[in-house]
Amino acid sequence: MRRHRRAARLTLEQLAEASGVSARTLSDMERGRSTGPQHRTVAALAQALSLGEGERKQFIELAREGRLRDHWARPTGLCELPRSVDDFTGRAAELAWADDFLHAGDSPGAAGVALITGAAGLGKTTFAVRAAHILRPSFPDGVFFVDLFGMSPQPLTADDALTQLLRALGSAERHMPHDPLERASLYRSLLRERRVLVVLDNAGSEEQIRPILPGGGPSRALATSRRLLAGLEGVHRLSLGPLPPVEAAELLTGILAKRGSLDGGAAISELAQFCGGLPLALRIVGNRLVSRPSWPAAEFADRLADEERRLDQLKAGDLKIATAFGMSYDQLAAPARRIFRRLSLVPGRDFDAALAAVLGGISPWDAWDALDELVDLGLLQDGTSGRYRFHDLVRLFARERLHEEEAAADRDALAATMTSWLLRMATMAGQRFGPQPDRFDRPKADLKDFATAEEADHWLRVNSGNWLGALRSASGGARHVEVLDCAESMHWFSDRWIHWPHWGEVFTLGAEAAAALGDTAQHATQLNYLAWVHLVPPEDPEATMWYATQALDLATRSGATAQIAWAHQYTAEALRRLGRLSEAFDSLAKAAEMFNAAADIDAYCQSLSLLGDCLLGDGRHEAALEQYLEVRALLDDEGSGMTADIVSFTRPQTLARIGHCLRLLGHRAEAIITLTEAIALMEQFQTISSQARALETLAVVLAEEGRTEESRRAYARAAELFEASGDAEAGGRCHDLATTAR
């Protein structure tokens, strides 16, 4: 090539410009470092050198011979791809993603790099190796594998990795530049001229992996890391998650096929569930059972059922799930380690930075930083709205670290601090919905101040598992005052979230706390709340009457007039649902009279609404409508003294009742307008069962008006909401009507 270039009177730079081949590559070719360039490179050079037909043919042939010499002279066994496991299962979507990545265009820069991230034990290496074996035919110039040992105390340096890869690519060590930048440049130039797949496993940092990424051309890199490596630009990213339950069971079944006998499907599913979809855990379980053919899978499942010993059981030979987690844990800075292990105390499924700050004894800003570090290493999963959660096995590892590294007294103090904070937050949020939400003192500095009811509502819902867990813990620790305060604060909020399945437990704990404190009036109050719980589907009116009777007895003995009235009101509602309307009217009259005398306008309004329900149930539709219109007038009267939040919550319920009456009285046009307004307002309060009933009524009216398509849509939406509220029967009914509406 040098002879032809000189004959053409071209410098390297001029030939580079004419051919589109870099001057460095041309220099390597002339110095004999690159003796077998790719055909398209040689063709471009022949054209730039204006070679004749004979010279062109000879030039191309010499390059082809050089490529053959390079191929056969390449040392064997260097950076060889590990074997793929025979029982690889699932990951079809992820493998399709890898195939799409391979066939993406040869765009310049980092576009040829795929990064697979995920927590320890998710099978990132196994997946990358499997993908590489599948893709091997598309890379005729080689598939190479380098373990970067990113989680070890001594990771492989980028320079050492480059040396391994350059040797695998056929470069003699004596020809490798000493300067790291020049060595990386040589590596990229070789990849640009070949079609090579490089698997870079277990990367620990951007600095470690960046010098060994392709710079463009047909070569590709497939990298894995426990860290997110957010500093890498332009890479194709795949976040690997746990296997779905079906695929997890399939993987375990495939491994256990080597036992020569079939294990029960129920035991396999249970074992897969305990492994949480982690391929490493499934592999350990499978290997242990394969090594002991007479050991029943069901017996091993019984062992794993014990959370305290589960991690100890998940080991097989040199495979141990705790070791995999421990490598990530060792990478953490001290503050992140402390928060990681302390977060295992959280009773719910997820948490936010505010709770992490309480456990860590740090500011929320520092908690954010620590949580980001944990997410980056795959020790936490981040979700929507700033919520974080553990994988179940990682939580057990964090709990193990907490018991190993912090004294029992310190753990107890931490749990007590967290419980107190959660209960005070929940109590303050619940009080936001009472008749006098502004009468309470400003929160202490460690508590969040809820500016609106919506903020308090959101906090209570997303943190329900945590404050309920704190309530249980406080009850077990005989912290009766805190338990009772929290349960009492939930009375009005429970009306906004009536289908939460744990209200019975909340108010039972409240009743037990009141009894322990000898507070008869509060005991009656909590029993009345339990009477209300049993009016929520699946309703049990008989249980409501039992609780209301007990509440009435306690309230009478303690002189708690308000609770006497509530006991009569809940009894009336139970009697109405049992079809005993005359008795319901009597109980309701007593309740309404007492509420009115006590000037409790909020409760009195509920009595009037319930009176309308009784009239409606008795077939007196016009009287019921008049009653509901009276309630609406009370809601519209700004001088009535009703609590604003209760007015806002009660209005859509009242409009829905009015719409129902209008439909029964034949005023369908007015009914449609009123019901539509009610449904729109209900969406703000997420009262899904009330909204579902209103939608079903609207669907009936629309059908009667001949508006079939609108009726079908209303039935379909009602079906969704009924099913979401747990009323499968009503959901099925509306679904059938949605599909058959004409």
Side-chain angles (χ1 to χ4, degrees):
M1 194 189 79
R2 182 186 294 115
R3 175 170 60 83
H4 285 303
R5 178 177 63 79
R6 288 176 177 174
R9 299 182 180 277
L10 294 173
T11 65
L12 281 173
E13 289 73 17
Q14 289 171 329
L15 180 56
E17 183 176 359
S19 64
V21 180
S22 71
R24 180 179 293 277
T25 299
L26 296 176
S27 176
D28 287 343
M29 292 167 66
E30 288 196 0
R31 288 184 294 162
R33 287 191 172 181
S34 176
T35 58
Q38 294 296 302
H39 176 78
R40 60 181 180 177
T41 300
V42 178
L45 289 171
Q47 183 175 355
L49 292 167
S50 302
L51 299 182
E53 184 60 29
E55 291 176 326
R56 175 187 176 87
K57 182 178 180 181
Q58 181 191 35
F59 190 74
I60 292 175
E61 183 64 19
L62 287 170
R64 189 184 73 83
E65 292 176 2
R67 285 196 297 278
L68 289 174
R69 286 196 304 274
D70 275 359
H71 176 76
W72 293 112
R74 181 184 302 147
T76 59
L78 295 179
C79 300
E80 182 63 23
L81 186 66
R83 70 180 181 89
S84 177
V85 294
D86 296 335
D87 47 28
F88 184 91
T89 302
R91 304 293 194 198
E94 292 86 347
L95 288 170
W97 175 90
D99 187 68
D100 290 342
F101 155 74
L102 164 67
H103 294 103
D106 295 344
S107 54
V113 180
L115 177 63
I116 302 162
T117 59
L122 283 172
K124 298 180 295 297
T125 299
T126 301
F127 170 77
V129 169
R130 182 71 166 193
H133 276 285
I134 294 173
L135 299 174
R136 186 192 285 273
S138 299
F139 293 94
D141 295 319
V143 176
F144 304 118
F145 179 92
V146 178
D147 189 344
L148 298 173
F149 298 99
M151 293 294 105
S152 73
Q154 293 182 318
L156 190 70
T157 66
D159 198 41
D160 288 342
L162 279 170
T163 300
Q164 290 186 25
L165 288 165
L166 285 170
R167 288 176 60 204
L169 287 165
S171 292
E173 200 150 354
R174 65 180 181 276
H175 291 154
M176 296 181 195
H178 294 293
D179 181 73
L181 294 178
E182 292 185 6
R183 188 171 294 203
S185 179
L186 171 61
Y187 167 74
R188 288 193 296 271
S189 70
L190 292 176
L191 291 187
R192 189 178 295 111
E193 296 172 356
R194 309 181 189 193
R195 189 162 184 82
V196 169
L197 175 62
V198 181
V199 180
L200 303 169
D201 189 43
N202 197 13
S205 67
E206 292 89 343
E207 292 77 9
Q208 183 190 29
I209 195 175
R210 190 175 278 117
I212 47 180
L213 299 178
S219 290
R220 295 283 185 267
L222 199 59
T224 73
S225 178
R226 294 190 190 184
R227 294 188 179 276
L228 297 178
L229 303 185
L232 293 181
E233 62 283 344
V235 299
H236 299 257
R237 293 180 177 271
L238 173 66
S239 178
L240 215 59
L243 289 173
V246 172
E247 291 185 4
E250 287 178 1
L251 173 57
L252 193 52
T253 300
I255 299 171
L256 295 181
K258 301 168 186 175
R259 276 160 59 97
S261 62
L262 294 177
D263 293 284
I268 297 297
S269 297
E270 192 173 9
L271 286 168
Q273 180 181 357
F274 288 139
C275 292
L278 288 189
L280 176 58
L282 293 162
R283 179 75 52 192
I284 289 171
V285 167
N287 287 1
R288 288 197 67 182
L289 288 171
V290 167
S291 66
R292 301 180 64 179
S294 61
W295 193 9
E299 182 181 328
F300 195 13
D302 290 340
R303 291 193 184 189
L304 290 181
D306 183 359
E307 279 195 352
E308 299 300 322
R309 302 191 63 230
R310 189 174 301 165
L311 287 183
D312 290 335
Q313 294 296 316
L314 290 174
K315 59 183 178 181
D318 61 350
L319 293 178
K320 188 175 182 181
I321 195 72
T323 301
F325 298 152
M327 293 179 70
S328 295
Y329 181 72
D330 291 342
Q331 300 289 315
L332 297 171
R337 287 189 192 185
R338 182 168 58 251
I339 281 188
F340 171 74
R341 58 181 181 259
R342 291 181 175 184
L343 284 171
S344 65
L345 293 170
V346 173
R349 296 287 296 173
D350 60 9
F351 46 85
D352 58 14
L355 184 52
V358 171
L359 286 166
I362 56 179
S363 72
W365 293 108
D366 290 335
W368 278 111
D369 291 339
L371 292 169
D372 282 345
E373 187 176 352
L374 293 170
V375 170
D376 186 57
L377 268 167
L379 289 171
L380 281 184
Q381 305 164 19
D382 58 344
T384 59
S385 304
R387 308 291 296 178
Y388 300 83
R389 65 180 298 171
F390 281 111
H391 184 280
D392 288 345
L393 294 180
V394 178
R395 180 192 291 273
L396 295 180
F397 174 76
R399 184 187 302 171
E400 183 182 89
R401 290 295 86 218
L402 180 69
H403 282 258
E404 288 288 332
E405 299 181 35
E406 304 205 27
D410 294 336
R411 298 197 302 270
D412 291 343
L414 276 171
T417 298
M418 176 190 67
T419 296
S420 173
W421 185 84
L422 284 168
L423 289 182
R424 287 184 292 126
M425 282 287 290
T427 301
M428 185 178 65
Q431 289 169 345
R432 185 66 180 77
F433 304 98
Q436 295 177 300
D438 299 325
R439 71 179 177 88
F440 300 98
D441 296 334
R442 296 282 296 176
K444 294 183 179 180
D446 65 330
L447 300 182
K448 173 183 172 63
D449 189 8
F450 299 108
T452 65
E454 287 69 28
E455 286 185 15
D457 182 297
H458 177 74
W459 191 93
L460 286 168
R461 289 177 192 252
V462 300
N463 289 285
S464 59
N466 291 328
W467 65 258
L468 177 60
L471 196 68
R472 292 166 177 161
S473 177
S475 177
R479 297 163 67 169
H480 304 307
V481 173
E482 292 173 88
V483 171
L484 183 56
D485 285 348
C486 184
E488 173 60 26
S489 74
M490 294 299 154
H491 170 49
W492 291 103
F493 173 67
S494 62
D495 280 337
R496 300 169 67 103
W497 197 19
I498 60 175
H499 290 288
W500 190 48
H502 300 290
W503 289 125
E505 182 180 5
V506 169
F507 298 131
T508 296
L509 293 176
E512 291 172 352
L517 292 169
D519 190 333
T520 309
Q522 269 297 330
H523 194 182
T525 300
Q526 300 299 311
L527 290 174
N528 268 328
Y529 297 162
L530 284 167
W532 167 83
V533 167
H534 288 86
L535 292 172
V536 176
E539 61 188 47
D540 185 352
E542 296 286 359
T544 291
M545 291 184 65
W546 186 89
Y547 280 112
T549 300
Q550 302 303 310
L552 180 60
D553 177 58
L554 289 172
T556 301
R557 282 194 278 147
S558 62
T561 305
Q563 295 310 313
I564 294 174
W566 279 111
H568 285 308
Q569 181 137 308
Y570 289 130
T571 299
E573 177 63 2
L575 290 167
R576 183 186 72 84
R577 299 192 187 192
L578 290 169
R580 296 158 60 179
L581 292 177
S582 61
E583 296 173 79
F585 277 117
D586 291 341
S587 291
L588 193 54
K590 295 176 184 177
E593 181 182 356
M594 295 183 74
F595 285 135
N596 195 28
D600 187 345
I601 192 66
D602 294 321
Y604 179 64
C605 182
Q606 290 194 39
S607 295
L608 296 180
S609 293
L610 183 54
L611 179 58
D613 294 344
C614 289
L615 292 168
L616 189 63
D618 200 29
R620 297 153 66 182
H621 301 155
E622 290 188 3
L625 178 59
E626 290 177 8
Q627 189 66 42
Y628 294 140
L629 290 174
E630 182 180 343
V631 173
R632 186 173 71 176
L634 191 61
L635 296 171
D636 291 340
D637 182 3
E638 295 182 358
S640 67
M642 285 192 70
T643 304
D645 284 346
I646 295 174
V647 169
S648 298
F649 179 78
T650 307
R651 189 183 304 280
Q653 316 293 330
T654 304
L655 288 172
R657 289 179 168 100
I658 291 172
H660 184 51
C661 285
L662 289 170
R663 180 251 162 182
L664 292 173
L665 292 168
H667 306 303
R668 291 196 291 264
E670 294 177 67
I672 291 172
I673 294 172
T674 306
L675 287 166
T676 302
E677 182 182 357
I679 291 164
L681 291 173
M682 286 174 179
E683 290 179 353
Q684 301 176 17
F685 297 98
Q686 303 180 45
T687 50
I688 56 177
S689 63
S690 298
Q691 190 178 351
R693 289 194 298 271
L695 277 162
E696 184 176 16
T697 303
L698 177 61
V700 172
V701 185
L702 289 168
E704 291 171 346
E705 286 286 279
R707 296 160 66 172
T708 306
E709 187 56 38
E710 294 173 79
S711 174
R712 184 181 292 113
R713 288 198 296 269
Y715 272 130
R717 179 60 179 153
E720 292 175 3
L721 293 177
F722 274 129
E723 289 168 3
S725 70
D727 192 341
E729 181 181 353
R733 178 181 68 243
C734 289
H735 176 74
D736 292 342
L737 289 168
T739 56
T740 59
R742 295 180 181 177

